[in-house]
Amino acid sequence: MPTLSGVHHIALTVTDVDRSVPWYERVLGFSVVGSQDEDALGVRKVFLRGPGDGFALTLIQHPYAAGSVFDEKKPGLDHLSFSVPDEGCLAEWTDRLDEHGVMYSPITEEHSAPGTSVIALRDPDGIQLVLWAEKP
């Protein structure tokens, strides 16, 4: 069996990169590392690098995505989870999310994975993001 050595990046379709990029920078601490201007099909891309281990994320705006609503119940992405070191870090995240006016769930135990705690939130397009901590 050939080896998969990790996830290179995640690409999310957003309705407006000019709205989403500042949110990912301000709220989650991502930094822009590059972009691709509108191509012949009207697609725009912005490449981001996350804090910490440098998780790579691409935000893509398709010309026909405007007006679309994210729905995790349809085929495709359900949610994107980011690991955090521990539950104490989740508490720090609640402060940061409050500071930026982001609605989120309370810190709860993830019932499908005993020994973990999570916070769920949504980006400007309603894409569900989860902050995930393993308990010691």
Side-chain angles (χ1 to χ4, degrees), residues 108-119:
T108 57
E109 182 176 347
E110 175 53 52
H111 298 291
S112 64
T116 61
S117 294
V118 298
I119 296 173

Side-chain angles (χ1 to χ4, degrees), residues 65-85:
S68 298
V69 177
F70 176 77
D71 184 351
E72 63 267 11
K73 294 177 241 32
K74 292 183 179 178
L77 179 74
D78 184 89
H79 67 277
L80 174 58
S81 291
F82 296 100
S83 295
V84 301

